[in-house]
Amino acid sequence: MEDIAQVRAKRARIDAIVDARLRAGNFRHEVAGFVPRGAKNILDYGFGDGSLLLWLRREKHCTGLYGVEVDPGAIQAVDGLYDRTWLVDLNREDAHLGPEYEGFFSHILMPMSLEHTYDPWFVLKKMNRYLAPGGSIIVEVPNAQSWECAYRLLTGDFPYVSGGTWDFSHIRWYTLKSLADLGHVCGFRLTSYDLLFPGQVDLEAVRARESITSLELPPRELQSSCPRIRLEFPVDIKEVYPLLLAHVLIARLEKVREPEDHEPTARQGYLESYRVSFRNPAEGVSGLIPHPICPPLAEAVRGKAQDLLARGVS
């Protein structure tokens, strides 16, 4: 049992880590907001400096803190502050947390990590195994649907930089629709989301507009001085317009079933068959164009989709 001096020393370490992140101005308040007060058994996938879970312990009295990292320095920095940590790369087929942690966690936090993950479908199926029934994954990713991504692509710019949306280590890109689609393959349902904007945005003015059928890049709501590009849409995009203004997505993926397998993602129409069998609730205007299925795979995709529908995976 810890004595008073040990408890005080631990509190001081927690305060130092959390307060340093708060002073830096980049604490993940929005991710933390998805975790209820007093939650137990939370796993942070890629916990970095450890501040997110330690803030949840300090401010929301959460207990049972666990973390996965590939950086030995991060493991050492939170030694004695988490209930357990793993130095492991869960992208590997032979990497696991152990059977005693199956169905164990109430929440798994994945802030700014899925964009670094080569096979996110495989990793999320692993996470499904470790979540308790009804548990949730809280995902934070850069938003590939943002106006800036479209603007840069239209002007021929795909900048690899150190940090931020265009960090050179990002190997996957997501929209809200693709996050819901990813979750569906792995046994989750996207139940709620939040948006982060690069500055002040007057969303009330957006809501007051009767309809929106065009988009200016950059949007006038952001008051940018960049030359403008105007895009016309064949439908009203008012419902999805805020998604075009946001640069970061945060989504809750709730566990609703076990995945059909826990294997690395297969080829030959595996992902396409899920998309065809599932009407995505976040599809927006993307339903105007067909699924990008390679013609030689069309028959295999339809067969797999029919099998999924017969098993109630929709």
Side-chain angles (χ1 to χ4, degrees):
M1 186 173 179
E2 295 178 323
D3 59 27
I4 294 178
Q6 290 174 318
V7 171
R8 287 177 176 172
K10 180 180 289 188
R11 287 178 180 172
R13 287 179 61 200
I14 291 173
D15 288 343
I17 293 172
V18 172
D19 292 343
R21 187 62 177 259
L22 292 173
R23 285 194 299 272
N26 58 355
F27 181 77
R28 305 189 189 282
H29 288 285
E30 292 77 14
V31 175
F34 278 86
V35 181
R37 179 174 295 275
K40 299 178 180 179
N41 299 332
I42 309 168
L43 176 69
D44 192 347
Y45 176 79
F47 57 81
D49 64 6
S51 59
L52 179 54
L53 285 185
L54 296 177
W55 185 91
L56 286 171
R57 168 175 283 175
R58 188 179 80 176
E59 304 296 335
K60 285 193 167 184
H61 308 293
C62 297
T63 57
L65 310 184
Y66 299 81
V68 170
E69 257 292 349
V70 295
D71 178 9
I75 298 288
Q76 185 177 3
V78 299
D79 182 46
L81 301 181
Y82 281 17
D83 291 86
R84 181 169 178 179
T85 58
W86 290 265
L87 182 65
V88 62
D89 182 1
L90 289 178
N91 291 275
R92 296 178 45 165
E93 290 187 55
D94 60 351
H96 303 282
L97 302 186
E100 66 271 29
Y101 290 99
E102 294 183 6
F104 180 77
F105 298 106
S106 64
H107 297 80
I108 296 178
L109 312 181
M110 303 184 75
M112 294 301 182
S113 58
L114 275 183
E115 64 273 21
H116 301 276
T117 304
Y118 175 74
D119 190 345
W121 304 272
F122 177 50
V123 171
L124 283 190
K125 286 187 288 187
K126 281 189 178 182
M127 296 304 181
N128 186 306
R129 176 179 285 167
Y130 300 132
L131 272 175
S136 297
I137 293 181
I138 311 303
V139 177
E140 180 185 23
V141 293
N143 177 24
Q145 193 178 356
S146 74
W147 73 268
E148 185 180 1
C149 290
Y151 190 95
R152 291 191 180 278
L153 288 173
L154 289 170
T155 55
D157 192 14
F158 199 97
Y160 290 103
V161 297
S162 299
T165 299
W166 302 93
D167 188 274
F168 70 93
S169 63
H170 293 178
I171 57 177
R172 296 290 179 186
W173 295 83
Y174 300 96
T175 65
L176 184 64
K177 179 184 186 300
S178 67
L179 277 180
D181 181 77
L182 167 64
H184 170 63
V185 173
C186 304
F188 297 94
R189 180 176 60 240
L190 194 155
T191 57
S192 57
Y193 67 91
D194 197 3
L195 305 174
L196 298 187
F197 303 97
Q200 297 296 320
V201 178
D202 187 0
L203 290 179
E204 288 301 321
V206 174
R207 297 187 186 100
R209 295 170 65 175
E210 185 174 342
S211 65
I212 302 176
T213 57
S214 64
L215 171 66
E216 289 189 345
L217 307 177
R220 292 189 180 276
E221 291 84 355
L222 299 179
Q223 300 179 347
S224 172
S225 60
C226 294
R228 283 194 165 82
I229 301 171
R230 186 178 179 89
L231 302 176
E232 298 292 337
F233 285 81
V235 295
D236 184 359
I237 62 167
K238 179 179 176 180
E239 184 178 352
V240 300
Y241 190 76
L243 293 171
L244 301 168
L245 306 179
H247 70 301
V248 173
L249 300 172
I250 303 169
R252 180 195 298 276
L253 301 175
E254 181 181 345
K255 178 176 178 176
V256 293
R257 59 176 171 81
E258 297 294 328
E260 279 58 59
D261 63 75
H262 288 87
E263 304 301 320
T265 302
R267 298 179 182 272
Q268 301 300 314
Y270 177 85
L271 296 177
E272 296 95 319
S273 61
Y274 276 93
R275 297 188 70 194
V276 171
S277 67
F278 172 57
R279 187 184 181 281
N280 198 308
E283 65 183 355
V285 298
S286 63
L288 295 174
I289 61 175
H291 290 289
I293 299 171
C294 181
L297 292 178
E299 185 174 347
V301 169
R302 283 194 294 268
K304 171 71 172 176
Q306 290 172 356
D307 179 58
L308 292 171
L309 288 169
R311 284 188 278 163
V313 182
S314 61

